[in-house]
Every structure is written in structure tokens, then in C-alpha cells.
Amino acid sequence: MAADVAAERPRSTLTLGLEDRPALPQAVVMGFQHVLVSNVWLDPVFVAAVGGLSAGLAGNLINAIFLAAGLVTLTQSTRLVRLPIVEGPSAAFDGLMIGFAKGGQLAMATTGLLIGGIVILVVAASGLLGLVRRLFSPAVTGAVILLVGIALAGFTLEEFLGGSPTSADFASPSTLVIGTATLLTVLIFSSFGRGPLRSYAFIWALLVGDALSAVFGRLSFDAARDAAVIGIPQLLPYGPLQFDPGVTLAMLFAFVVAVIEAIGVYFAAGEILDTPITDQRIRLGVSGEAVGSIVSAVFGGFATTAYAQNVGLLKLTGIGSRFAVTIAGVIFLILAFIPKLGALLAATPDPVVGGIFLPAAGSLILTGVMTLSRTPDTPRHAAVAGLAVIAGTGLPPLASTLGAKLPAVATQLLSQPVVVGAILALVLEIVLVQLPGDTSPSDGRQGSWSGETV
């Protein structure tokens, strides 16, 4: 027991460690900060808008995702993985859900999500996930974390510059002033601040960004005024379940990516908290995410996964307490049933969102690079990580060009950087490393799920 406690002691850069309990008022502010930095409230708004969902279905999608995110975040932080991990909709499903929404296939997508969630739950809960744990090497998880950071950076830069490139305010002087002031607030307070300045750097940045937005006439709460006060997610809002093999296969591929992404996030959190990521943590964590995905799908949402940008928040603020994340889960549940509050959060102007997200994306990219640094220096391992990152960054921009030569589902998968990189990383890990036998010398650094040296 003493060894376990010692193993879970946080690094000196943290002001609050994994098991530290902040006072309730502090925990509420810290929890809201995690809600603010997460994609839980941005992702469904984006998918609903681009997918062309009606106002009713869009509202239900947001409520369903808040519900699933709240339940899983609460359970993960207290009972399952027991890390400060925030759960929300996986970006690996964004392109697929948008395509299925435009094609009128959301009932089929729901069926695929349910099947995928059940498959992942069985694999994780039965211990079968442990049989493939060697596939999740530093080369694979590092490449995935890096690609998640790069993908998040692309989206975040668009937000920083004003959202849609077709917007009249895109990259305008007022937009740049708002975004830059928000970004600088996060950087200065998280880098040089002490006490509340550092701990609540993202809250201060939100206040600065919103204040400037109000000065420039860019802060509007019209959508919040029109939002319902009370809302209950609807069961199967897209109609009865329909099975389609192609749609289900695409969902299964996306689930594999979401699992890899989640495991990478666990390791990233473990790095910051100096906490070993054990088989038990992985099994319970992935099981919880699978159940969350099933709940989300039943109410019209999509799969849940651990959020990497919230791990970046741990490093920037020095707050590693899982109890702050528990409060974030409670806030998500409140937002699930009070849409007006969620609409207030969604009223945050685009450049403010971008200014807040950019430091988290930068921290995540560094975490991916640090994970990759544990990869043995051999041509085979270099190929796994290098080619995965190249494919993940280079193929998605070509997806529309290749679309005429490929099935629609394949084109949708190719458009997702993390999906492309993760799948290729796994294939290369099997073909180049596992099947021939990994004979690389041990370097004494952590490289297995159990936290043992390899």
C-alpha cells in the first residue's frame, strides 16, 4: 500500500495532486474551467450545424452528449479509471456523423454506435483488451496523441481567427485583438502566475475575452434567450434502429481510434501526475467509455472518449485533482437538463474559444512528442510513428480528391487525421514490430500499461 501511495504522488509542478480535495467553492470553479476547455459543448454544435440537423434534433444532440459526458466523467473520476479525465464526444466520429446526417442515415449510425459500444465493452470487460496491449507502444500512442493535438490545433486556429473563413469578421482587427488578449491571459497567468492566477488562468482568460467581445459588440446572448429552460433527451430521436454493414464497419473503425486515443490520454495524464497506468485502470476506463457511448447513442448522441485538451489543462494550471473533474461531471449533468445554461456557454465568441484552446493544444502536442521520445531508435519503430504521423497529416486534405475512386465510407474515414494515423500505426506496429519480434534494447523507461520498465 505504501508503495502504491508513493507511486501516485504528483510531481512538484502540481499545486494539487491526484487525491487532493480542494474546498467546494474552489472545486466548482476548477470544474467549470474543465467544462470550458472541453469540446463537449462545441462538438455537437459543430456537427449539428454542418450536418444540417433541425433545431429540435440539434438541441436533443447537445442534451444527449451533455448527459453521457456527465455520467461517464463522474463515474470515471470516482470509480473507474480514477484520473482527472473529462469525457465527451470523440472527434473520430465527427466526419462520419456529419456524412450520415446529410445522407439521412442517422438511424443506421445509431445502430452502428450501439453495436460498436457493445463490442468494445465486451472486449474491455472480459480482459481481451489485455491481449493486444503490446500494440499500444509509445510509437502508437505518441503518434495518436500528437495527431490529436495537431487536429485540435487546426480547429482551434480557425476559432481563434473568427470561426468560419467565410465570416465577415474572420481575421478582422477586432477578432485578432480578442483572440490574442485571451491567449496572452492564459499564457501569462499559467506561466508566471501564482495561486489563484495560475489555478484559474482559463477563467480569467474567459472574462478578459468576453469583456473585450462586449466592447466590440461581439457578445450576444440571443440564442440563450430562445433556449428552453428544461430539456430531457429523447430516446432514439432519429427513428427505429436500422442495420447497415458499411455504416457499422465505419463506426467500429472509429471506435478503435477512440480507444487508442483514450489510452493515449490515460498515459498523458499518468505522465503529468507521475501515476502508473495499470491494466486495471485501462480495463475499467475503456469499459466506462463504452457504456457512455451506448447511453449517448440511445439518446441520439455519439461515442464518448477521454479528452486530451483537459490533460493539457492539468499541466498549465497545476491542478491535478480528480475531484475537480468530478464537479465537471456534475456540471455536465446540470447542463443536460437545463439547455439555457448550455446555450449561455455556447455564446462564447469564436476568438475567445480559440484563445483558450490554443495553449491546451500546444501542451498536448508536446505530450505526444515526449511520448514518442520513449520509442526505441530503430528503423522499424521510426517507421511506425513517422509514417502514421505523415499519413494522418497528409492524407485527409486529399480525401475529397480520392473520393471519386473510393466508397463514401472510406472517403469519410480518410478525412479524419486521427483515424488515418491510428489505423496505420496499429497495422505497422503489427507488421514491422510484433510479428517479426521486438528485439530492441531496453532503455529502462516506462513503456507498458502496468507502469513497469521495459
Side-chain angles (χ1 to χ4, degrees), residues 84-85 265 268-269 272 307-316 363 367:
I85 296 296
V265 171
I272 295 170
Y307 269 1
Q309 58 263 40
N310 288 89
V311 172
L313 184 75
L314 306 180
K315 182 180 294 185
L316 290 170
S363 178
T367 301

Side-chain angles (χ1 to χ4, degrees), residues 150-428:
I150 292 172
L152 180 63
F155 161 77
T156 304
L157 277 172
E158 283 192 4
E159 291 291 298
F160 180 83
L161 294 173
S164 171
T166 60
S167 169
D169 291 316
F170 189 79
S172 68
S174 64
T175 296
L176 294 177
V177 168
I178 294 168
T180 302
T182 304
L183 172 62
L184 288 176
T185 302
V186 174
L187 291 178
I188 292 172
F189 283 15
S190 63
S191 301
F192 305 107
R194 295 291 184 270
L197 289 182
R198 183 189 180 198
S199 298
Y200 309 130
F202 290 84
I203 301 294
W204 299 123
L206 174 67
L207 294 175
V208 169
D210 278 355
L212 281 174
S213 299
V215 170
F216 286 108
R218 300 280 297 275
L219 190 63
S220 173
F221 297 105
D222 291 343
R225 280 196 295 267
D226 297 336
V229 177
I230 302 296
I232 300 175
Q234 178 185 347
L235 283 170
L236 300 179
Y238 311 120
L241 298 177
Q242 301 177 37
F243 176 72
D244 180 273
V247 172
T248 298
L249 183 62
M251 289 299 182
L252 286 171
F253 272 123
F255 263 111
V256 171
V257 174
V259 169
I260 299 171
E261 181 181 350
I263 291 171
V265 171
Y266 297 165
F267 273 114
E271 287 281 333
I272 295 170
L273 297 163
D274 200 17
T275 297
I277 303 304
T278 63
D279 286 359
Q280 177 80 346
R281 269 199 161 104
I282 294 291
R283 182 168 65 253
L284 292 175
V286 174
S287 296
E289 295 188 11
V291 172
S293 299
I294 293 170
V295 171
S296 182
V298 166
F299 288 101
F302 46 103
T304 58
T305 192
Y307 269 1
Q309 58 263 40
N310 288 89
V311 172
L313 184 75
L314 306 180
K315 182 180 294 185
L316 290 170
T317 63
I319 305 299
S321 171
R322 62 187 176 91
F323 299 101
V325 170
T326 299
I327 296 296
V330 174
I331 294 174
F332 286 139
L333 288 176
I334 294 172
L335 294 175
F337 297 103
I338 308 179
K340 190 173 286 291
L341 293 178
L344 283 172
L345 191 61
T348 307
D350 291 326
V352 179
V353 174
I356 288 172
F357 270 40
L358 274 176
S363 178
L364 185 59
I365 289 173
L366 178 61
T367 301
V369 172
M370 291 173 63
T371 303
L372 286 172
S373 69
R374 294 201 305 272
T375 303
D377 186 14
T378 70
R380 288 187 291 163
H381 290 86
V384 173
L387 293 178
V389 172
I390 289 172
T393 54
L395 279 179
L398 303 175
S400 57
T401 304
L402 297 171
K405 305 176 182 179
L406 298 170
V409 170
T411 303
Q412 290 166 350
L413 289 172
L414 276 178
S415 67
Q416 305 297 309
V418 182
V419 173
V420 173
I423 291 175
L424 183 59
L426 278 177
V427 171
L428 291 175

Side-chain angles (χ1 to χ4, degrees), residues 120-137:
I120 296 299
L121 177 60
V122 170
V123 169
S126 65
L128 291 176
L129 195 61
L131 298 177
V132 295
R133 65 184 181 182
R134 285 181 60 84
L135 298 181
F136 299 99
S137 65

Side-chain angles (χ1 to χ4, degrees), residues 23-43:
L24 183 59
Q26 291 177 297
V28 170
V29 179
M30 293 170 184
F32 177 72
Q33 195 164 234
H34 272 289
V35 171
L36 179 66
V37 176
S38 74
N39 258 358
V40 175
W41 53 285
L42 285 174
D43 213 66

